[in-house]
């Protein structure tokens, strides 16, 4: 069951989307989006706040606070319900298609009578979309690709949502008497970007109380299976949760078995067979006698018994990790604790919801050695940035630095890469920033050659230090741009430009497969939160999980480096940085 914060945030986000579909004031829609983000990340339960307290949340003014109060008291927002009636049936479903905005959805409905995703796909396959004004063959192809993305996503949920649900379940099960340990397994433990179902393991002698406790949780809308070895429930959103209870002495083998991946487990079992052993969820046994040959209480002992080091869960995808481990060449992956700073964050000067002071204080609480504020540059017109505003922020940051002497405050900007590879502001102005992240925010439909060239040109800019969310993808919502990434990786390595691993669970960009390729070019990376609120600073953990899946070490990730080494890199002097 969602906290009131998440529930209200979803309602505000829906209202923002409806305002965009109906063509109302874009700034009003953006205000509701910011408020939704602020409410979702607010540490206190908003269900316990009065209207005056709600207005203390960044981005929540009198009007929005009133609507939140109205919803909390009645379960309704009349303005939202009235706006819903203005949307023709089917259009809201079309807007859910990746890369299809509200205006195009309305045009498709009005001109072609399209009222469902299936009808949209049929119209695109029949070539009926390309003839509409403002569309064309490329848009038609993007629509078909978006529909395919949507269908591939199916009922899978994003990593942060799965983490939240699993955390809620694990916290409840740890309160059951007899719990020796409790942890998620499966694709969630491997930090995959989306999760189809949630696997929870408990170490205990008596499974009964835990199986019963799972079925009684508020989020358990339906019990699918109820037994001693496995109990499965389904949430109201249709997500399946599987619980298995293992004896403590089999905790390690159960964790190994149910974490997967299946292909990784096959490789490990093949090694066991070659040693005359049998590996199962209950332990490692002599194949002939059936006697255990190693302690199964810890994964580390099982791997060691097979001649392997412990392999981090995020690396267990059968991508050569077994062979590398046998050769003694498996890299030790970067961890959250290795991060010394965050190089991509936003404040309420643009589209963030927290002040500069609050963001700096939150970064300091994380124990960072350095932290960068990188609000949007003027090329993203919606953010209304000006030279005067950014320079005033720089002065505020310098004054604020006196309060945070243990953490260096870096003044940066998130620049916009235009269709030709240029960025906001001339070179002499950019020289005043400590760090510049350059990102694509527009012209997603350019051809492969143009997209590649614009990214390479941005890398070649001596004032661009990091390429932010390099492919621009939004998981399940927008595909990445079509660019020759190998050419971009080579350019990054040549120019000393880092590629970002954006920790937003909606992005996780670069994705793990691309990281593995980029690493072979000698590219450096920045694992950033792209935080728009203090709570979102924690998004770096999802970026770190993705970095682990890409086999990155601390030497690969620039924001694990000491300040002096990072400063050399930010001068784009790779020889000295290395």
């Amino acid at each position: 069951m969602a906290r009131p914060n998440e529930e209200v945030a979803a309602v505000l986000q829906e209202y923002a989307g409806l305002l965009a579909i109906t063509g109302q004031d874009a700034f009003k829609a953006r205000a509701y989006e910011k408020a939704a983000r602020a409410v979702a990340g607010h540490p206190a339960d908003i269900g316990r706040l009065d209207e005056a307290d709600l207005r203390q949340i960044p981005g929540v003014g009198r009007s929005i606070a009133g609507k939140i109060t109205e919803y909390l008291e009645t379960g309704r927002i009349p303005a939202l319900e009235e706006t819903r009636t203005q949307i023709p049936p089917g259009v809201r479903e079309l807007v859910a298609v990746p890369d299809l905005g509200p205006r195009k959805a309305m045009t498709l409905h009005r001109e072609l009578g399209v009222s469902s995703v299936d009808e949209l796909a049929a119209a695109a396959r029949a070539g009926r979309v390309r003839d509409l004004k403002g569309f064309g063959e490329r848009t038609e192809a993007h629509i078909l690709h978006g529909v395919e993305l949507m269908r591939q996503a199916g009922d899978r949920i994003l990593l942060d949502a799965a983490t939240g649900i699993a955390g809620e379940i694990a916290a409840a099960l740890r309160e059951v008497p007899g719990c020796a340990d409790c942890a998620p397994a499966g694709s969630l433990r491997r930090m995959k970007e989306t999760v189809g179902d949630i696997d929870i393991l408990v170490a205990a002698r008596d499974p009964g109380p835990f199986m019963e406790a799972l079925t009684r949780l508020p989020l358990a809308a339906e019990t699918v299976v109820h037994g001693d070895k496995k109990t499965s429930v389904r949430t109201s959103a249709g997500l399946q949760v599987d619980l298995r209870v293992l004896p403590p002495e089999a905790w390690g083998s159960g964790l190994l078995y149910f974490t997967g991946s299946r292909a990784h487990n096959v490789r490990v079992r093949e090694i066991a067979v070659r040693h005359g052993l049998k590996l199962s969820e209950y332990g490692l046994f002599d194949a002939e006698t059936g006697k255990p040959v190693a302690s199964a209480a810890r994964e580390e002992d099982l791997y060691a018994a097979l001649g392997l080091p412990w392999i981090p869960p995020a690396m267990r995808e059968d991508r050569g990790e077994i062979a590398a481990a046998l050769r003694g060449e498996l890299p030790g992956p970067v961890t959250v604790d290795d991060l010394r700073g965050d190089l991509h964050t936003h404040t309420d000067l643009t589209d963030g919801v927290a002040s500069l002071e609050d963001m700096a204080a939150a970064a300091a609480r994380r124990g960072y050695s350095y932290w960068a504020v990188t609000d949007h540059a003027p090329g993203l017109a919606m953010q209304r940035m000006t030279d005067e505003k950014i320079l005033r922020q720089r002065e505020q940051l310098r004054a604020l630095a006196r309060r945070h002497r243990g953490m260096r405050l870096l003044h940066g900007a998130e620049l916009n890469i235009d269709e030709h590879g240029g960025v906001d502001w001339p070179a002499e102005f950019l020289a005043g920033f400590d760090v510049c992240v350059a990102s694509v925010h527009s012209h997603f439909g350019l051809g492969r050659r143009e997209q590649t060239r614009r990214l390479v040109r941005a890398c070649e800019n001596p004032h661009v230090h990091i390429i932010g969310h390099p492919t621009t993808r939004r998981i399940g919502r927008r595909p990445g741009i079509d660019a020759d990434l190998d050419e971009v990786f080579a350019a990054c390595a040549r120019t000393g430009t880092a590629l970002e691993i954006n920790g937003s669970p909606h992005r996780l960009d670069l994705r793990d497969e691309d990281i593995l390729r980029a690493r072979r070019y000698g590219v450096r990376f920045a694992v950033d939160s792209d935080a728009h609120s203090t709570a979102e600073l924690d998004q770096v953990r999802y970026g770190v999980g993705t970095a682990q899946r890409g086999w990155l070490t601390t030497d690969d990730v620039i924001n694990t480096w000491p300040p002096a080494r990072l400063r050399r890199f930010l001068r784009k002097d790779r020889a000295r940085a290395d």
Side-chain angles (χ1 to χ4, degrees), residues 489-538:
F489 298 157
C492 285
R494 171 171 52 84
T495 61
T497 307
L499 286 172
E500 182 178 66
I501 301 171
N502 189 292
S504 167
H506 296 275
R507 293 188 184 273
L508 296 180
D509 183 13
L510 281 174
R511 61 178 188 159
D512 52 0
E513 296 95 332
D514 296 329
I515 295 168
L516 283 162
R517 282 167 48 214
R519 185 172 183 262
R520 291 196 287 269
Y521 285 84
V523 174
R524 303 299 195 187
F525 302 83
V527 179
D528 298 322
S529 67
D530 194 3
H532 288 67
S533 68
T534 56
E536 287 183 357
L537 288 169
D538 195 45

Side-chain angles (χ1 to χ4, degrees), residues 14 16 137 148 172 411 542 547:
E14 180 191 3
E137 290 187 34
E148 182 61 25
H411 192 231
Y542 305 119

Side-chain angles (χ1 to χ4, degrees), residues 8-20:
V8 170
V11 170
L12 295 177
Q13 187 62 53
E14 180 191 3
Y15 191 36
L18 294 179
L19 291 172

Side-chain angles (χ1 to χ4, degrees), residues 439-505:
S439 308
V440 169
H441 292 114
S442 63
H443 300 89
F444 303 123
L446 292 177
R448 182 179 181 85
R449 183 175 179 181
E450 292 83 359
Q451 296 286 22
T452 304
R453 182 57 187 151
R454 73 194 291 207
L455 288 172
V456 170
R457 280 200 63 199
C459 292
E460 292 170 343
N461 188 317
H463 300 290
V464 169
H465 307 105
I466 301 166
I467 302 296
H469 45 77
T471 74
T472 79
R473 74 163 183 167
R474 293 185 68 84
I475 299 171
R477 290 288 302 145
R478 184 173 70 214
I481 57 176
D482 182 15
D484 183 341
L485 292 181
D486 287 285
E487 188 172 339
V488 175
F489 298 157
C492 285
R494 171 171 52 84
T495 61
T497 307
L499 286 172
E500 182 178 66
I501 301 171
N502 189 292
S504 167

